[in-house]
């Protein structure tokens, strides 16, 4: 096999190429027959100009506009924040619908999961201790912390006891979007198939009352659904003692549950990217997209989110929406975000983050084009509000912020029983009760943080495998993880502090 070129040209006609590794000033280069000399040092993952661009001219990558030159750019120049910015006008993209229904596999893939009484399937077997309000958070944590690994050693089929706590639930309006989001999120976690049993705990006087929340939960066998109100229990110590007793009743019942072979159609995967770099849209995100297409062909569900991070690339999703109504729903959420940002004196291009820029991403358009690659090529089958129950199979979109813990919290509340998280700068994200796979965009990151990374997509840029081959490997890892294979974040004990519901509205 010939060594890979120093430059990657992603789409014919692109104005820039991506450096596979660090390039020195004066280095002679060739990109698809275009001879270049680097006019400045080009860091790995960053862009180099293939042709001249005058100030004000749009610059293409992925065959799409990623920004507008702020000064004349010459071939061989480093293209980044010093000479590229968002276009001064954001012209609407013309969209031609190219939706093609997915043909399901004749022999669906399988995994081993925990089948619940309502037919849903868990990939893990946790007990959740859920607070209705921040005032009950400490009691929840004391109860969960009482069940150490040593105390659970006689219950090997129980993955753990998890405290789901947050900083809200009171000091907010009793009606409106803020309380509605919190209730949806808590209900989604309390009903999650990865929780075999749940204990909900309130203080008693909070806005987010416990009894209405309990009434909205699905049925569970007694005693696998219980509740406590601290004021009625007699105080903190009494509530902790009662909570521990409730969990002790659940343990032998949950420990008797066994994994069984089920179809991959029971797998619902939340798609996340965080700490992105210049390789994210070239390696990890397209590889995840290839795995998503395999998942969808096997009847499963993939949840794309992070609305601010598809901004400028939404036309790639609406073009493959299964109906005009789905396309319209997505655009409604985009317009909501534009208004929300204006109201808060913000800018949709406040993303990319400093770390993204250090990794080679210049504008939100460039970041979004790479982020959408996580969705593969499958048709868009639905659009959901934050933390809504996802009841459609195939590729769907959930409206969430771009902040990873908040976004993933919404996906898990919607039913995701696996998270796939791509990263180029490095992430240590973990999630309970849903396992999180970390996918490295480059081999250097994978080797540097090998105890945090579950999958290396860097072989794509290294010229060792194709996107399709990496996608097949990743899909198999998804099935193995759903069957009980522990992720790096699980081995590292992460995931107890990543429940972060989206907070909207006044705190009073």
């Amino acid at each position: 096999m010939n060594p890979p070129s120093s430059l990657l040209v992603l789409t014919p006609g692109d104005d820039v190429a991506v450096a596979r590794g660090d390039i020195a000033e004066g280095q002679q280069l060739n990109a698809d027959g275009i001879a270049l000399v680097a006019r400045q040092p080009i860091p790995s993952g960053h862009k180099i100009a293939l042709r001249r661009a005058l100030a004000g001219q749009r610059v293409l990558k992925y065959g799409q506009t990623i920004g507008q030159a702020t000064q004349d750019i010459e071939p061989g120049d480093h293209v980044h924040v010093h000479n590229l910015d968002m276009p001064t006008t954001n012209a609407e993209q013309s969209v031609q619908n190219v939706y093609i229904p997915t043909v399901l596999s004749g022999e669906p893939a399988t995994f081993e999961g925990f089948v619940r009484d309502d037919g849903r399937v868990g990939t893990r077997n946790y007990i959740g201790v859920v607070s209705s309000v921040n005032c009950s958070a400490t009691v929840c944590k004391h109860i969960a912390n009482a069940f150490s690994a040593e105390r659970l050693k006689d219950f090997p089929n129980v993955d753990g006891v998890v405290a789901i706590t947050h900083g809200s639930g009171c000091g907010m309006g009793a009606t409106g979007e803020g309380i509605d989001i919190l209730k949806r999120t808590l209900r989604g976690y309390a009903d999650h198939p990865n929780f075999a049993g749940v204990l909900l705990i309130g203080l008693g006087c909070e806005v987010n009352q416990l009894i209405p929340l309990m009434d909205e939960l699905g049925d569970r066998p007694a005693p696998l659904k219980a509740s406590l109100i601290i004021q009625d229990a007699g105080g903190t110590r009494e509530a902790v003692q009662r909570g521990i007793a409730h969990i002790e009743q659940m343990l032998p019942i949950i420990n008797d549950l066994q994994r069984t072979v089920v179809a991959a159609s029971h797998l619902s995967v939340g798609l996340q990217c965080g700490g992105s770099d210049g390789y994210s849209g070239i390696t990890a995100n397209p590889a995840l997209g290839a795995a998503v297409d395999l998942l969808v062909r096997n009847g499963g569900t993939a949840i794309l989110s992070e609305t601010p991070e598809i901004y400028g690339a939404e036309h790639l999703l609406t073009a493959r929406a299964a109906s005009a109504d789905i396309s319209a729903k997505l655009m409604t959420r985009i317009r909501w975000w534009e208004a929300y940002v204006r109201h808060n004196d913000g800018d949709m291009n406040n993303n990319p983050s400093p770390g993204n820029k250090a990794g080679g991403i210049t504008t939100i358009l460039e970041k979004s084009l790479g982020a959408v690659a996580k969705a593969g090529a499958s048709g868009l089958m639905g659009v959901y509000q934050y933390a809504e129950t996802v009841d459609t199979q195939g590729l769907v979109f959930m409206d969430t912020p771009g902040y990873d813990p908040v976004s993933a919290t919404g996906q898990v509340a919607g039913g995701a029983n696996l998270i796939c998280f791509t990263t180029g700068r490095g992430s240590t994200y973990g999630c309970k009760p849903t396992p999180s796979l970390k996918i490295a965009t480059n081999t250097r990151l994978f080797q540097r943080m090998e105890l945090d990374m579950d999958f290396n997509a860097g072989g794509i840029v290294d010229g060792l495998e194709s996107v399709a081959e990496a996608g097949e490997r990743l899909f198999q890892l998804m099935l193995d993880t759903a069957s009980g294979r522990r992720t790096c974040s699980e081995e590292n004990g992460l995931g107890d502090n990543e429940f972060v519901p989206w907070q909207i509205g006044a705190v009073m």
Side-chain angles (χ1 to χ4, degrees):
M1 180 181 293
N2 294 327
S5 168
S6 299
L7 298 177
L8 281 165
V9 180
L10 303 181
T11 306
D14 278 356
D15 296 314
V16 295
V18 178
R20 289 184 188 266
D22 293 338
I23 292 173
E25 182 178 353
Q27 185 173 334
Q28 295 186 349
L29 304 162
N30 189 290
D32 287 1
I34 300 174
L36 296 170
V37 175
R39 288 163 54 89
Q40 301 92 28
I42 313 293
S44 176
H46 283 237
K47 298 176 291 296
I48 185 171
L50 297 177
R51 54 184 61 84
R52 193 177 194 209
L54 299 177
Q57 182 177 328
R58 293 189 175 222
V59 174
L60 301 183
K61 179 185 175 185
Y62 304 110
Q64 305 279 334
T65 297
I66 61 166
Q68 179 176 296
T70 57
Q71 62 189 56
D72 291 352
I73 297 173
E74 300 296 334
D77 274 345
H78 181 205
V79 178
H80 200 28
V81 293
H82 60 284
N83 55 14
L84 188 71
D85 203 350
M86 288 284 283
T88 53
T89 58
N90 190 18
E92 292 286 339
Q93 298 276 0
S94 59
V95 176
Q96 179 181 358
N97 190 273
V98 292
Y99 168 68
I100 300 174
T102 297
V103 177
L104 297 179
S105 172
E107 296 184 15
T110 61
F111 70 96
E112 294 183 2
F114 295 98
V115 180
R116 307 304 183 193
D117 287 357
D118 60 5
R120 295 182 304 156
V121 176
T123 60
R124 294 295 184 267
N125 210 32
Y126 280 107
I127 297 172
V129 185
V130 182
S131 64
S132 65
V133 64
N134 180 253
C135 306
S136 61
T138 299
V139 167
C140 291
K141 290 178 181 178
H142 279 316
I143 294 168
N145 291 341
F147 293 91
S148 63
E150 176 65 22
R151 191 164 185 172
L152 293 175
K153 67 180 181 180
D154 294 330
F155 305 98
N157 286 339
V158 178
D159 286 302
V161 181
V162 183
I164 300 298
T165 63
H166 54 96
S168 186
C170 206
M172 62 193 307
T175 60
E177 196 168 20
I179 189 71
D180 289 346
I181 286 176
L182 179 62
K183 286 180 176 180
R184 280 203 306 269
T185 307
L186 292 173
R187 184 170 63 245
Y189 267 70
D191 266 341
H192 198 280
N194 283 6
F195 279 138
V198 289
L199 169 62
L200 281 76
I201 300 179
L203 176 62
C205 54
E206 61 268 24
V207 171
N208 185 37
Q209 285 286 294
L210 192 64
I211 292 176
L213 178 60
M214 287 291 294
D215 291 342
E216 293 178 355
L217 300 184
D219 291 333
R220 289 179 184 267
L224 299 184
K225 182 174 74 170
S227 65
L228 275 173
I229 295 175
I230 296 170
Q231 291 168 350
D232 293 345
T236 299
R237 293 172 184 255
E238 292 81 358
V240 170
Q241 291 171 355
R242 289 192 188 187
I244 290 172
H246 277 301
I247 302 300
E248 287 177 333
Q249 283 186 293
M250 296 181 187
L251 284 172
I253 301 170
I254 294 172
N255 191 61
D256 285 341
L257 301 175
Q258 302 290 326
R259 290 183 181 271
T260 57
V261 176
V262 297
S265 58
H266 292 287
L267 195 56
S268 180
V269 181
L271 312 179
Q272 288 290 320
C273 55
S276 300
D277 70 352
Y279 296 125
S280 294
I282 302 169
T283 61
N285 289 351
L288 179 53
V292 163
D293 288 340
L294 291 172
L295 174 66
V296 170
R297 285 203 291 272
N298 283 275
T301 300
I303 308 171
L304 181 67
S305 299
E306 301 177 290
T307 313
E309 297 185 10
I310 67 157
Y311 187 71
E314 63 273 5
H315 60 286
L316 301 180
L317 294 171
T318 58
R320 48 193 168 108
S323 71
D325 181 60
I326 292 171
S327 177
K329 283 183 178 180
L330 181 57
M331 293 310 301
T332 296
R333 300 318 302 161
I334 293 290
R335 300 297 173 242
W336 183 93
W337 273 96
E338 289 176 333
Y340 179 61
V341 168
R342 283 195 302 270
H343 177 72
N344 289 281
D345 297 322
D347 180 1
M348 290 297 281
N349 196 42
N350 76 334
N351 217 320
S353 69
N356 297 151
K357 291 177 180 178
I361 297 174
T362 305
T363 66
I364 186 57
L365 298 183
E366 181 181 12
K367 186 175 183 180
S368 294
L369 289 164
V372 166
K374 299 194 300 293
S378 299
L380 182 65
M381 307 307 295
V383 174
Y384 291 85
Q385 295 268 30
Y386 185 86
E388 274 191 314
T389 300
V390 174
D391 54 6
T392 301
Q393 290 176 299
L395 173 68
V396 302
F397 187 85
M398 177 181 285
D399 180 31
T400 76
Y403 183 40
D404 309 315
V406 177
S407 180
T409 294
Q411 292 175 331
V412 175
N417 51 13
L418 180 67
I419 296 287
C420 284
F421 191 121
T422 66
T423 182
R425 304 292 291 170
S427 171
T428 59
Y429 180 80
C431 182
K432 292 178 182 177
T434 294
S436 173
L437 287 170
K438 240 77 92 294
I439 303 157
T441 71
N442 63 87
T443 300
R444 284 188 293 183
L445 168 64
F446 184 77
Q447 292 172 343
R448 187 174 70 250
M449 296 181 65
E450 62 180 350
L451 297 182
D452 290 288
M453 297 295 114
D454 298 280
F455 185 91
N456 181 23
I460 297 169
V461 76
D462 296 337
L464 301 178
E465 67 179 343
S466 67
V467 168
E469 289 168 339
E472 289 178 1
R473 283 200 302 120
L474 181 53
F475 180 56
Q476 186 57 56
L477 179 59
M478 290 159 62
L479 296 173
D480 292 344
T481 303
S483 298
R485 174 174 172 165
R486 286 168 64 83
T487 65
C488 288
S489 62
E490 289 176 307
E491 294 290 353
N492 291 335
L494 302 172
D496 291 289
N497 300 297
E498 285 77 4
F499 178 75
V500 189
W502 188 9
Q503 287 188 247
I504 290 180
V507 176
M508 296 177 287

